[in-house]
Amino acid sequence: DGTCTKLSKGNWCSARAACYDPLTRRAAVFCPRGLYMLNVDDGSWSRLGQSTWVFARAAVLAPGGGTAFVFHDHGLYKGSLSDGSSERMTKDHWGQTMGAVLSGDGSPTAVVVYANGVYRVDLRDGSYQRSETKSSWYTVNALCPLGANAYVSTVPTGK
């Protein structure tokens, strides 16, 4: 019916990336001042670790939960959702990432929409392949996983 419920009095407007863990019903929210775990049932939250995430662009939950992969201006990071610790996996620049989702095929792969292409990123080692090269994706504002058998239909413009 389109109704919304405000969960928290926190100011989340500076959030850079987020991913949701359905097993714990918490969202990991990456902000300039830190990583926050937001309980989606009651709106409570807590800060994890000391890392700041000013240059985070997108995050995906690892298959099985407990870990998030963050696409960042300074590389691909792997972060613990239990204590907030993180490690940089690669130094690849992901600064023009528009969004990322798990591939949906059961593999440890993220599909990353970048400003000038779409990439498949292996979350085990950070290696990647560009899978789409003919489009510009600068106008993407949000990306949502739709499942393995999702279809997208667009209406032609100008006709």
Side-chain angles (χ1 to χ4, degrees):
D1 66 0
T3 60
C4 298
T5 302
K6 185 174 183 175
L7 291 177
S8 172
K9 293 181 181 179
N11 183 355
W12 301 101
C13 66
S14 64
R16 300 291 192 251
C19 58
Y20 173 68
D21 186 344
L23 296 176
T24 63
R25 296 195 45 79
R26 297 187 316 162
V29 184
F30 296 85
C31 298
R33 294 186 179 189
L35 166 59
Y36 297 86
M37 296 304 296
L38 173 65
N39 181 316
V40 300
D41 291 322
D42 64 14
S44 63
W45 54 269
S46 60
R47 182 174 178 193
L48 293 180
Q50 299 300 313
S51 298
T52 59
W53 296 96
V54 173
F55 299 111
R57 301 298 175 204
V60 296
L61 183 71
T67 302
F69 293 91
V70 182
F71 295 87
H72 189 282
D73 282 16
H74 301 149
L76 174 61
Y77 287 79
K78 180 179 181 179
S80 168
L81 300 184
S82 61
D83 65 11
S85 63
S86 64
E87 65 177 287
R88 184 163 59 178
M89 294 178 60
T90 71
K91 293 183 179 182
D92 299 307
H93 175 77
W94 291 102
Q96 293 183 6
T97 298
M98 310 311 286
V101 294
L102 283 177
S103 65
D105 62 4
S107 69
T109 304
V111 175
V112 179
V113 175
Y114 200 74
N116 63 355
V118 177
Y119 294 81
R120 290 183 59 83
V121 179
D122 187 324
L123 298 174
R124 294 172 293 200
D125 61 11
S127 62
Y128 59 88
Q129 288 184 319
R130 190 170 180 175
S131 60
E132 189 284 328
T133 61
K134 297 184 180 188
S135 298
S136 172
W137 296 89
Y138 283 103
T139 59
V140 172
N141 290 319
L143 195 58
C144 175
L146 297 174
N149 295 313
Y151 295 92
V152 176
S153 175
T154 60
V155 178
T157 59
K159 292 189 177 186

